Amino acid sequence: MSDSNLSSAQRLDFRHIIGVLLILAMALWLCACSATKLAYQNAPELGYWWLDSYFDFNDSQSLRLREDLAALQTWHRKYELPVYVKTLEKLQKVAPLDATPEQFCDLYAEVKTHMQAVLDQFEPTVSAMAPALKPAQVDHLGRQLDKRRQKWRDDWLEATPAGRQNRRVKQLTERIETFYGRLDEPQLAVLRAGLLASPFDVNLIYRESQQRQKDIVQTLRQIQGARPGAPELKTAMRSLLVRFMESPDPVYRNYMETMTHATCRTLASLHNSSTPAQRQHLFETLKDYQADARSLLLPTR
């Protein structure tokens, strides 16, 4: 029931350039509770090192980024985590019940809203740091993106159709079992059938990745040396973040919408086939997430 369930086989690693910041927004949806809490507490440091591997920041850039990531986490603890607590409470109430595809898609839309909120909050940092990047840093970014894209190509585009299907089933099964516990064979059959019926298109995904990478690198090169706070700089960076969240290609947007609805149908069918014990496991997992979210809230004065 998380965003990663919907997109783990579809997205490309280059999106983590900004997506790594979403550790702050998504940690409570993705992994085992103890690991989630630890990741959240260390998100600014983890985010810094991850981004530094792409950009090779200098000392002044590193200082600015570390400070802003820490401020982003403080904002998130104050404004976003309380919403997560309420959402997780609602999900616990419906966990024992059957679900519809629309409910899963509504949850996905809610998660995307929180992702957008984090990006909006971090936009001033991106706009301030991007024009100060050196040409060598942008070149370094391009090489790192090439490596990520090539790895995705090796894993997905070069695989056989059967290999791709097995990989998708394995990835989604691991995510789902985090919430429900071990799936039985009939449930795995439901999952396989749903994924097989979905319009998964590796060629379209790869083409989109090439366009996204080209867009990011070109935009960063175009704004190098721009005056901080200049309207054209703000416009360029805002447009890039908008394109990050939603592709400008109508064909790809339609594909992603179709894939999302197909995944929602699969998840609903799988949830409705779950046993009382599995739904109790889901309830307990959500309850643990909620407890972690509460423990991470900023103390009230």
Side-chain angles (χ1 to χ4, degrees):
M1 298 175 67
S2 72
D3 176 63
S4 100
N5 290 341
L6 292 168
S7 64
S8 61
Q10 301 163 33
R11 68 187 180 187
L12 292 180
D13 285 339
F14 82 89
R15 294 189 63 185
H16 290 168
I17 292 173
I18 302 173
V20 70
L21 305 176
L22 304 182
I23 294 173
L24 297 167
M26 303 299 297
L28 292 167
W29 304 87
L30 295 181
C31 54
C33 293
S34 60
T36 297
K37 187 173 180 178
L38 181 62
Y40 188 94
Q41 290 170 325
N42 292 282
E45 190 66 12
L46 293 171
Y48 166 76
W49 285 110
W50 206 96
L51 290 168
D52 185 58
S53 71
Y54 277 96
F55 291 98
D56 192 20
F57 296 118
N58 61 35
D59 289 345
S60 61
Q61 292 168 337
S62 295
L63 179 62
R64 167 67 188 264
L65 181 59
R66 288 178 187 274
E67 291 176 345
D68 286 7
L69 286 172
L72 179 62
Q73 185 187 51
T74 299
W75 166 84
H76 190 268
R77 291 177 67 191
K78 182 176 181 179
Y79 294 105
E80 289 289 290
L81 282 187
V83 179
Y84 290 5
V85 170
K86 293 179 181 179
T87 298
L88 288 163
E89 183 176 1
K90 290 189 295 183
L91 291 175
Q92 290 170 58
K93 293 178 180 178
V94 300
L97 309 176
D98 281 356
T100 66
E102 289 74 22
Q103 287 174 304
F104 276 91
C105 281
D106 287 345
L107 178 59
Y108 176 55
E110 182 178 344
V111 170
K112 285 186 67 177
T113 298
H114 291 293
M115 292 169 65
Q116 184 65 60
V118 173
L119 287 180
D120 290 343
Q121 186 68 19
F122 202 67
E123 183 181 337
T125 299
V126 176
S127 294
M129 294 189 67
L133 292 172
K134 306 299 182 184
Q137 290 176 305
V138 178
D139 292 342
H140 181 74
L141 168 65
R143 290 192 296 271
Q144 293 301 106
L145 294 180
D146 282 338
K147 291 178 183 178
R148 292 279 180 173
R149 188 160 52 86
Q150 184 58 51
K151 184 179 185 307
W152 194 94
R153 179 185 177 92
D154 293 341
D155 290 342
W156 292 98
L157 201 60
E158 301 299 335
T160 64
R164 287 194 289 267
Q165 173 72 356
N166 290 337
R167 190 180 185 90
R168 294 176 68 205
V169 170
K170 182 177 183 293
Q171 286 188 347
L172 193 50
T173 298
E174 290 173 352
R175 297 294 189 184
I176 291 171
E177 288 186 339
T178 298
F179 292 95
Y180 290 89
R182 189 170 182 82
L183 301 180
D184 58 28
E185 186 53 42
Q187 292 167 328
L188 291 173
V190 170
L191 184 59
R192 292 190 196 100
L195 293 181
L196 188 62
S198 68
F200 185 61
D201 188 337
V202 291
N203 291 297
L204 182 59
I205 296 170
Y206 188 71
R207 186 184 74 188
E208 175 72 5
S209 79
Q210 291 176 306
Q211 291 300 117
R212 294 286 189 100
Q213 177 176 336
K214 182 179 179 180
D215 183 21
I216 291 171
V217 173
Q218 283 186 344
T219 300
L220 291 178
R221 284 177 175 153
Q222 289 168 359
I223 64 171
Q224 281 182 339
R227 178 175 58 85
E232 60 271 20
L233 171 61
K234 292 183 177 180
T235 298
M237 295 314 300
R238 181 60 186 171
S239 297
L240 180 62
L241 293 179
V242 167
R243 295 193 297 274
F244 167 77
M245 288 298 294
E246 186 171 8
S247 171
D249 181 0
V251 174
Y252 190 78
R253 289 201 307 271
N254 182 68
Y255 164 75
M256 287 301 297
E257 182 177 358
T258 302
M259 280 294 298
T260 297
H261 286 291
T263 305
C264 290
R265 289 193 297 271
T266 298
L267 293 177
S269 296
L270 192 62
H271 175 79
N272 295 340
S273 72
S274 61
T275 65
Q278 288 170 328
R279 296 189 188 195
Q280 182 63 28
H281 191 288
L282 173 63
F283 172 84
E284 296 294 341
T285 301
L286 294 170
K287 185 178 179 180
D288 288 342
Y289 282 150
Q290 186 186 28
D292 271 357
R294 277 205 182 97
S295 72
L296 291 163
L297 293 173
L298 283 179
T300 56
R301 296 178 179 179

